[in-house]
Amino acid sequence: MRARLGCAHDAADIASETFTQVVVLDDPGAIREPRALLTTIAKRLIYASWRRRDLERAYLEVLAQQPEAVQPSPEETVLALEALAVIDQLLDGLSPKARAAFLYSQLEGLNYAEIASRLGVSVTRVHQYVVKGLTTCYLALEAA
């Protein structure tokens, strides 16, 4: 993990989180291939951390382009980054096209025809994608 992450501290964090996830399994003693399980969990955590960093970097780049008068406070920035991470994780269950359609609709305000043109799908399919995204968000809010 140190080689992949380039940082011993990040590798230690991932290793710790990996073992934490194993410990909370229903029956950790029933694991047949522990090395494969640990590797799979660790890789997923690494990819999630990379996605989180990419998301944070993109958000901070957008903030850097804003005038200082509209810059959020450090606390607001942290809250926004946490919210973005939750939304990213929530939408992770959608296909790439469904996620893109939902984000184009909700963030960029594009209509279904514009989204269909960008994604190379039908307007009906865009509608299905957006409904799936909205349903996913609604179910997450209902569970919270």
Side-chain angles (χ1 to χ4, degrees):
M1 282 188 286
R2 256 184 265 145
R4 272 204 166 170
L5 296 171
C7 175
H9 300 292
D10 288 344
D13 288 344
I14 295 291
S16 174
E17 181 61 28
T18 300
F19 282 102
T20 300
Q21 289 192 14
V22 170
V23 169
V24 299
L25 291 174
D26 289 335
D27 187 12
I31 299 170
R32 287 189 220 143
E33 296 183 37
R35 176 172 264 166
L37 178 66
L38 290 172
T39 300
T40 300
I41 293 171
K43 282 182 180 180
R44 287 180 183 163
L45 290 170
I46 289 170
Y47 296 143
S49 73
W50 288 344
R51 281 182 65 175
R52 199 170 33 255
R53 284 183 186 161
D54 289 346
L55 189 61
E56 182 176 336
R57 189 175 308 119
Y59 177 72
L60 293 175
E61 285 174 6
V62 168
L63 279 183
Q65 297 171 2
Q66 302 298 316
E68 263 191 62
V70 295
Q71 292 278 336
S73 69
E75 294 83 12
E76 291 171 326
T77 300
V78 169
L79 290 174
L81 288 170
E82 288 174 359
L84 285 171
V86 168
I87 293 167
D88 181 55
Q89 185 177 13
L90 181 70
L91 298 179
D92 191 39
L94 300 177
S95 71
K97 283 189 177 183
R99 188 175 329 119
F102 178 74
L103 293 174
Y104 283 145
S105 170
Q106 300 302 306
L107 299 180
E108 295 189 22
L110 298 180
N111 64 40
Y112 288 0
E114 293 169 325
I115 297 168
S117 174
R118 284 193 184 190
L119 298 178
V121 297
S122 70
V123 172
T124 303
R125 192 68 177 144
V126 170
H127 175 74
Q128 292 170 346
Y129 287 152
V130 173
V131 167
K132 184 159 179 104
L134 289 170
T135 302
T136 301
C137 291
Y138 174 77
L139 292 174
L141 284 172
E142 191 176 68

